[in-house]
């Protein structure tokens, strides 16, 4: 801009975006007070499609439930006009139940004497070229490719006549079809007489019979049909922990503890092993693969995380099995900070690329870390999720909670990240430069009911800003930074951020909660 003396005056740099104010939107499968949750109904996977108009959930019973957005369909013209004019849209996202289907069934591996659970581990949406919905779902061993589309239900109307002229079960009175008083024999009579009866006595008036209606095909109703197009099986010796679609729309990867396989969507009986960390001697095993993800735009690039807290970025055009053709991201351990729990809590449970592919978000047991793929010196930001639990690590280890696998997600604009915690809480952090946004929400109809005090800025050190709490033993309830008790049995492991709007879907046991800002 020009100043009064004709000189140029630099515009003041824009500050960080203000913290979002989150509001409750919807809940599906809400529990009543004291209602017992069935194990098979607990949600185990959540995923938005690329448009954000559809949401899929999977549960431990092997079912996939689809939801579709309704507010954009009702107001699609005005909404697009408002977005074009940069006006805020007052309506919040609204979804409705669309359909559900049984994706996986419990199985038994007789060779290994191993039960295979039907639980859905991951769901990934695929490209939808013809209006139908395509998605991948996987349990521990088998991946399935599903097509869900609307099909018209064709119905034939009954051939009936005018009710006043009907006799018995749709039979026709003799006066309406015959001009002769001669009667026809019933079944079992003389065949010739029957034929003569039909040929001589059945006559139609010149104008036809107005009361006779012919069958009519009606197709006013539609129903959703889910069909399994392909089954990708027998390629993993260990439990599948992740699947990820490639941006080319033709291939995807599946990962277990020791291997990552590359599949073509059209070929179900063949896959290619692209990463193998299995040592010759299993006693030499030091780390396992915990998550894998394709780059959102580069079809030859993928990242996978390990139980040691590192992330490796590889190029499929080179030898993926060679370390010299990959890039390693890891944080150096602070001197003197090592303990019995160091490696356990460093294990990464989930990674996600930002929409532009520039950053990778990772979640370990205690923190969220944001990595710049152009900088391998360490994470650019570290966010403390539930640092007040650090003194309780012994109790968490004894009840196996320390091995819980929390997921993470990024907003479509890359300005915020989110992940879950215990007591059905989840955290939202701002990751723009200079922001101090750190919000704690509860998966309930009143999400802002519980707030946890957080450091004023994201910390790069795991050992800083530790909130001290009183240790009361494993039988006493824990207490967070504000004195609220926390419950290890209620955990929010799964959540997803809408790809274009500030809307989050999260799972609390069998309930799906949705929030917007």
């Amino acid at each position: 801009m020009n100043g009064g003396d004709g000189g140029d005056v630099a515009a003041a740099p824009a500050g960080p975006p203000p913290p979002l104010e989150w509001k409750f939107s919807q809940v599906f499968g809400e529990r009543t007070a004291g209602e017992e949750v069935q194990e098979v109904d607990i949600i185990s996977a959540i995923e938005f499609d690329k448009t954000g108009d559809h949401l899929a959930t999977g549960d431990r019973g092997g079912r996939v439930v689809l939801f579709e957005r309704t507010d954009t369909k009702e107001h699609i013209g005005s909404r697009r006009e408002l977005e074009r004019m940069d006006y805020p849209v007052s309506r919040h996202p609204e979804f409705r139940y669309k359909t559900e289907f049984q994706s996986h069934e419990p199985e038994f591996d007789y060779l290994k004497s191993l039960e295979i659970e039907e639980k859905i581990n991951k769901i990934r949406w695929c490209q939808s070229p013809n209006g139908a919905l395509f998605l991948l779902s996987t349990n521990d061993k088998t991946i399935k490719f599903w097509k869900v589309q609307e099909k018209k239900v064709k119905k034939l109307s009954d051939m009936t006549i005018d009710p006043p002229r009907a006799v018995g079960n749709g039979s026709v009175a003799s006066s309406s079809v015959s001009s002769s008083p001669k009667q026809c024999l019933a079944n079992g009579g003389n065949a010739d007489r029957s034929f003569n009866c039909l040929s001589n006595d059945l006559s139609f008036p010149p104008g036809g019979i107005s009361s006779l209606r012919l069958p009519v095909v009606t197709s006013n109703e539609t129903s959703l049909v889910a069909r399994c197009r392909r089954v990708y099986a027998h390629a993993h010796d260990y439990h599948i922990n992740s699947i990820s679609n490639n941006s080319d729309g033709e291939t995807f990867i599946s990962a277990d503890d020791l291997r990552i396989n590359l599949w073509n969507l059209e070929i179900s009986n063949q896959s290619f092993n692209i990463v193998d960390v299995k040592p010759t001697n299993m006693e030499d095993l030091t780390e396992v693969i915990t998550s894998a993800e394709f780059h959102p735009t580069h079809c030859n690039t993928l990242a996978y995380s390990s139980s040691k807290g590192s992330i490796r970025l590889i190029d499929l055009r080179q030898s993926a099995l060679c370390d010299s053709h990959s890039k390693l991201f890891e944080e150096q351990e602070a001197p003197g900070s090592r303990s019995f729990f160091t490696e356990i809590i460093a294990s990464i449970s989930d990674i996600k690329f930002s929409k532009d592919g520039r950053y990778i978000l990772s979640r370990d047991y205690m923190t969220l870390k944001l990595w710049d793929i152009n900088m391998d010196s360490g994470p650019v930001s570290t966010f403390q999720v539930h640092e007040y639990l650090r003194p309780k690590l012994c109790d968490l280890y004894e009840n196996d909670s320390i091995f819980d696998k929390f997921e993470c997600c990024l907003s479509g604009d890359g300005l915020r990240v989110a992940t879950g915690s215990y007591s059905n809480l989840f955290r939202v952090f701002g990751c723009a430069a200079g922001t101090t946004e750190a919000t704690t929400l509860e998966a309930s109809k009143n999400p802002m009911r519980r707030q946890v005090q957080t450091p004023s800025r994201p910390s790069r050190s795991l050992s800083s800003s530790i909130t001290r709490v009183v240790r009361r033993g494993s039988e006493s309830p824990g207490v967070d930074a504000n004195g609220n008790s926390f419950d290890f049995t209620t955990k929010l492991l799964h959540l997803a951020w809408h790809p274009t709007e500030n809307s989050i879907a999260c799972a609390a046991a069998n309930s799906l909660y949705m929030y917007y800002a």
Side-chain angles (χ1 to χ4, degrees):
M1 59 180 292
N2 293 327
D5 56 356
D8 290 340
V9 178
L20 296 177
E21 183 180 349
W22 292 92
K23 300 176 183 177
F24 170 78
S25 174
Q26 288 174 283
V27 59
F28 296 93
E30 184 181 20
R31 283 177 294 165
T32 58
E35 180 184 356
E36 184 177 352
V37 179
Q38 300 296 319
E39 181 79 9
V40 294
D41 295 331
I42 296 177
I43 297 173
S44 57
I46 300 179
E47 185 79 6
F48 281 105
D49 71 348
K50 287 188 176 181
T51 65
D53 291 337
H54 293 93
L55 175 69
T57 66
D59 62 27
R60 294 188 182 182
R63 292 164 297 189
V64 172
V65 183
L66 304 185
F67 302 86
E68 69 174 349
R69 190 165 180 175
T70 58
D71 60 305
T72 53
K73 289 185 177 181
E74 296 171 359
H75 303 272
I76 190 166
S78 60
R79 186 181 185 88
R80 285 178 177 171
E81 290 174 5
L82 290 173
E83 290 175 347
R84 193 179 299 115
M85 293 184 292
D86 205 22
Y87 286 135
V89 180
S90 58
R91 294 179 59 86
H92 64 79
E94 292 180 1
F95 285 78
R96 71 173 178 88
Y97 169 86
K98 186 177 181 72
T99 188
E100 68 179 82
F101 55 91
Q102 188 71 33
S103 174
H104 288 71
E105 300 280 358
E107 300 176 37
F108 189 82
D109 188 335
Y110 292 96
L111 293 177
K112 298 182 179 179
S113 296
L114 180 69
E115 290 185 0
I116 303 174
E117 289 184 322
E118 65 269 35
K119 179 175 79 79
I120 304 298
N121 291 341
K122 295 289 181 181
I123 296 174
R124 289 292 181 266
W125 290 91
C126 303
Q127 295 181 2
S128 302
N130 59 355
L133 302 176
F134 294 87
L135 51 87
L136 291 166
S137 62
T138 184
N139 64 353
D140 287 339
K141 295 292 183 180
T142 305
I143 307 162
K144 294 185 179 182
F145 183 41
W146 292 91
K147 178 181 180 180
V148 182
Q149 66 179 150
E150 290 185 349
K151 288 203 171 184
K152 291 183 179 179
V153 179
K154 294 184 179 181
K155 290 188 176 181
L156 290 177
S157 64
D158 295 332
M159 186 173 68
T160 59
I161 61 173
D162 199 18
R165 296 173 177 262
V167 176
N169 186 18
S171 62
V172 183
S174 60
S175 61
S176 65
V177 296
S178 176
S179 59
S180 171
K182 186 177 180 179
Q183 298 298 316
C184 298
L185 291 180
N187 288 343
N190 184 273
D192 292 336
R193 291 188 60 188
S194 298
F195 177 77
N196 290 333
C197 171
L198 291 174
S199 61
N200 297 332
D201 297 339
L202 188 62
S203 60
F204 293 90
I209 301 176
S210 60
S211 61
L212 181 64
R213 294 205 303 261
L214 296 177
V216 178
V217 176
T218 59
S219 56
N220 297 327
E221 298 181 6
T222 60
S223 65
L224 284 165
V225 178
R227 187 165 66 91
C228 183
R229 294 283 302 274
R230 285 175 188 84
V231 177
Y232 314 89
H234 312 300
H236 288 277
D237 293 330
Y238 303 92
H239 291 176
I240 299 172
N241 55 46
S242 41
I243 53 176
S244 178
N245 300 92
N246 198 343
S247 58
D248 63 8
E250 299 177 355
T251 57
F252 71 94
I253 56 172
S254 59
D256 63 23
D257 289 348
L258 299 181
R259 294 186 177 94
I260 300 177
N261 293 332
L262 177 68
W263 300 83
N264 188 299
L265 282 169
E266 302 297 324
I267 304 172
S268 61
N269 60 357
Q270 184 182 35
S271 64
F272 299 93
N273 179 232
I274 56 176
V275 174
D276 189 343
V277 300
K278 183 179 180 179
T280 305
N281 184 357
M282 285 295 287
E283 293 181 357
D284 298 331
L285 182 66
T286 59
E287 62 180 332
V288 297
I289 298 169
T290 57
S291 183
E293 193 85 6
F294 257 123
H295 191 281
T297 57
H298 297 167
C299 62
N300 295 306
T301 304
L302 64 89
Y304 70 89
S305 59
S306 79
S307 57
K308 280 192 169 183
S310 62
I311 300 173
R312 193 173 290 274
L313 192 69
I314 64 175
D315 189 336
L316 296 182
R317 293 169 295 186
Q318 307 293 335
S319 173
L321 304 178
C322 180
D323 288 345
S324 61
H325 295 132
S326 62
K327 194 172 184 179
L328 182 67
F329 300 88
E330 59 183 349
E331 187 174 32
Q332 297 301 319
E333 188 177 311
S337 62
R338 189 169 186 82
S339 71
F340 173 79
F341 303 109
T342 299
E343 286 193 8
I344 300 176
I345 64 175
S347 178
I348 295 175
S349 56
D350 190 29
I351 59 172
K352 293 288 193 307
F353 273 99
S354 60
K355 192 173 183 179
D356 59 4
R358 171 69 183 274
Y359 297 95
I360 298 175
L361 179 68
S362 67
R363 170 69 202 265
D364 56 45
Y365 187 69
M366 298 295 291
T367 66
L368 273 175
K369 292 186 176 72
L370 191 65
W371 309 77
D372 187 333
I373 65 172
N374 296 329
M375 298 170 56
D376 55 3
S377 58
V380 294
S381 295
T382 298
F383 308 95
Q384 312 292 346
V385 178
H386 39 215
E387 192 63 30
Y388 52 83
L389 294 181
R390 191 173 291 272
K392 306 283 291 184
L393 290 179
C394 286
D395 299 333
L396 292 163
Y397 179 78
E398 290 173 3
N399 61 24
D400 287 340
S401 295
I402 201 170
F403 301 106
D404 288 334
K405 308 298 182 184
F406 292 94
E407 294 179 359
C408 58
C409 57
L410 297 93
S411 60
D413 56 16
L415 297 178
R416 294 172 180 88
V417 296
T419 192
S421 182
Y422 293 102
S423 302
N424 285 340
L425 301 178
F426 63 101
R427 310 292 309 279
V428 178
F429 300 95
C431 51
T435 184
T436 59
E437 181 177 1
T439 308
T440 300
L441 301 137
E442 182 182 44
S444 67
K445 290 186 175 180
N446 182 15
M448 305 296 287
R449 187 169 67 90
R450 297 174 63 171
Q451 293 293 307
V452 175
Q453 299 300 321
T454 56
S456 60
R457 57 181 300 174
S459 171
R460 290 179 62 104
S461 172
L462 293 178
S463 60
S464 61
S465 304
I466 297 178
T467 304
R468 306 299 296 177
V469 299
V470 179
R471 185 181 179 87
R472 299 182 181 178
S474 58
E475 284 130 29
S476 301
V479 178
D480 66 18
N482 280 3
N484 298 315
S485 62
F486 51 78
D487 183 4
F488 296 144
T489 62
T490 56
K491 57 196 75 171
L492 199 150
L493 302 176
H494 311 286
L495 75 172
W497 201 301
H498 190 282
T500 59
E501 300 177 12
N502 287 321
S503 176
I504 292 178
C506 57
N510 67 322
S511 302
L512 175 67
Y513 286 89
M514 306 192 73
Y515 304 93
Y516 71 99

